[in-house]
Amino acid sequence: MRISGIRANQRNCLIFFMVGGILCVILDVIGIGAVTPAMLFHTSVTISLTEYIAVPVVFAIAGAVMGIGTKRQPAALFYGACIGQCQFLLPLILYYLILHSGSDFDAWWRALCGLPLTTAFAGIGYSIKTLLKNVKK
């Protein structure tokens, strides 16, 4: 796949898109409302962090790992966006088209934890990796 100078492996894009979807499901199973405030999978397991803190942290870490592990910055940003797409789309689709649970704020908060956050942290992770490489030289 080549989009204006970005060379990204299509297989990797699909894998990272699925990883983003799996992250959404895992967070919901753990007890963090990553997709909607009305849990999709009602489980008794919960953690002490609220979803307002945990969801952004998880996707920021995923984006940073993507930036650190990628060789080229445009590809890092593109792969970071692939991870965050499910988290961006699922809350909006489920809120506006299907469940209508929670509020607009809840849906947009969860959506903005996806695509913008993972892309930004992929860039940050790549920049830190590049700075550390340049310091070693």
Side-chain angles (χ1 to χ4, degrees):
M1 177 182 292
R2 184 174 170 94
I3 300 174
S4 67
I6 300 174
R7 289 185 217 143
N9 186 335
Q10 292 176 349
R11 182 180 51 94
N12 288 348
C13 291
L14 179 61
I15 289 169
F16 297 138
F17 181 77
M18 290 189 306
V19 166
I22 290 169
L23 275 175
C24 293
V25 171
I26 287 173
L27 289 173
D28 205 77
V29 167
I30 289 174
I32 301 168
V35 180
T36 65
M39 305 297 278
L40 294 178
F41 305 101
H42 297 285
T43 58
S44 60
V45 179
T46 58
I47 62 171
S48 61
L49 290 176
T50 64
E51 61 265 13
Y52 292 114
I53 297 170
V55 176
V57 167
V58 167
F59 280 92
I61 291 170
V65 167
M66 186 56 48
I68 291 169
T70 308
K71 294 180 183 177
R72 294 179 313 274
Q73 185 177 20
L77 298 174
F78 200 73
Y79 291 150
C82 288
I83 287 179
Q85 281 179 352
C86 277
Q87 181 61 30
F88 182 74
L89 296 173
L90 286 177
L92 296 179
I93 290 170
L94 286 174
Y95 177 75
Y96 286 108
L97 299 178
I98 300 171
L99 296 177
H100 304 292
S101 65
S103 66
D104 288 342
F105 175 77
D106 288 329
W108 280 101
W109 173 258
R110 286 166 174 78
L112 293 176
C113 290
L115 193 63
L117 198 62
T118 54
T119 306
F121 274 87
I124 291 168
Y126 183 84
S127 298
I128 290 172
K129 177 181 84 169
T130 305
L131 287 172
L132 291 175
K133 278 184 179 178
N134 291 337
V135 168
K136 287 182 181 179
K137 289 181 181 180

